[in-house]
Amino acid sequence: MSLIAEPAIMSGKTRVLGGITVSDTPLITRAMDYAETHSEPVLFNHAVRSWLFAVRLGQLQGIVHDAEVVAIGSLLHDIGLSDQFTGHRRFEVEGADAARVFAREQGLDDRRVQLIWDTVAFNSTPSLAFYKEAEVALSTAGIALDFGGIQYEQIPPDEMKSILAAFPRLDLKRSFTDSVCRIIKTRPETTYDNFARDFGERFIPGYKAPSTVDFLMNGPFDE
């Protein structure tokens, strides 16, 4: 990622949300409204905190990025967990497609739409997302911070307190686990090659994912 001084990252109208100064555009407002409409409160708060953490990490580390793309990708990253966007594919892809439809309806160009799709699709795979474009990597960093505390120490304690007060966690650990376990019970075929597999093996009796080794060994080849 390219680095610049903090003041050059954010231009135009801003507002303070949860103690963090963020870009304030009609597009971001529409994304927030869309996320709130299509998310349970616990997931909406998680999405907003993820965005605020991404913004603050970007400010502290001087990361050049498209503020609207980071906002939309972060705010919509878990809409695939909503019943309104369920499908036969892993929830990140269902969510990414929904986010792409939203972004196109807002008139975003193909490049920005693709960055948003990638953010949502890769949000639970930081081992890949951290090496993609700044917007994808930064959004994923904010999501990972709120999910598992990665880079928790980078956020000043008073700012962390303000974010959590404005957008409380609402028992996120249990609620998120319940959401993923519902998917495992109803659509197990979408969970075998992603992090949902971990939840299945920990919480769902009888859950057994196919092995990648078996795919290789049972392939239709002579050797």
Side-chain angles (χ1 to χ4, degrees):
M1 301 178 186
S2 301
L3 301 182
I4 63 172
E6 178 177 335
I9 295 174
M10 194 176 297
S11 59
K13 186 179 178 182
T14 63
R15 65 167 167 159
V16 175
L17 193 64
I20 306 301
T21 300
V22 299
S23 293
D24 184 18
T25 71
L27 177 56
I28 292 175
T29 298
R30 290 193 293 273
M32 284 196 71
D33 290 343
Y34 189 85
E36 188 168 20
T37 297
H38 295 290
S39 303
E40 297 176 14
V42 60
L43 290 178
F44 174 70
N45 281 13
H46 164 57
V48 178
R49 289 193 309 269
S50 297
W51 172 40
L52 298 179
F53 287 140
V55 169
R56 196 64 186 115
L57 289 172
Q59 293 169 350
L60 292 169
Q61 298 171 17
I63 299 172
V64 181
H65 63 278
D66 182 324
E68 290 183 326
V69 167
V70 168
I72 296 170
S74 299
L75 290 168
L76 303 187
H77 80 271
D78 267 346
I79 59 171
L81 291 173
S82 168
D83 290 340
Q84 300 167 73
F85 300 108
T86 55
H88 65 279
R89 299 165 300 177
R90 55 189 283 176
F91 80 88
E92 300 98 326
V93 175
E94 300 292 348
D97 282 356
R100 177 166 55 196
V101 171
F102 171 84
R104 284 178 172 166
E105 289 176 344
Q106 305 306 312
L108 274 65
D109 62 41
D110 289 345
R111 171 65 173 169
R112 301 176 87 196
V113 170
Q114 188 62 53
L115 289 172
I116 291 166
W117 193 95
D118 287 352
T119 294
V120 178
F122 286 105
N123 85 84
S124 62
T125 315
S127 57
L128 296 176
F130 285 164
Y131 297 96
K132 289 187 63 63
E133 294 85 353
E135 290 77 12
V136 179
L138 188 56
S139 298
T140 304
I143 294 163
L145 197 164
D146 195 61
F147 182 83
I150 298 174
Q151 296 194 83
Y152 181 94
E153 71 284 351
Q154 296 295 317
I155 306 298
D158 59 330
E159 295 178 1
M160 179 65 72
K161 184 177 180 180
S162 293
I163 292 171
L164 294 175
F167 299 95
R169 290 180 64 84
L170 303 179
D171 202 11
L172 175 65
K173 293 179 181 181
R174 180 194 59 79
S175 295
F176 190 85
T177 297
D178 289 347
S179 294
V180 177
C181 285
R182 282 197 299 272
I183 292 174
I184 294 167
K185 292 175 180 177
T186 58
R187 293 178 285 143
E189 70 281 359
T190 70
T191 67
Y192 296 146
D193 65 343
N194 57 73
F195 82 99
R197 177 182 189 147
D198 297 336
F199 285 82
E201 292 176 343
R202 178 73 63 87
F203 296 110
I204 305 299
Y207 176 86
K208 182 173 176 57
S211 169
T212 303
V213 176
D214 290 337
F215 286 134
L216 173 64
M217 297 304 175
N218 297 331
F221 302 99
D222 293 335
E223 57 77 32

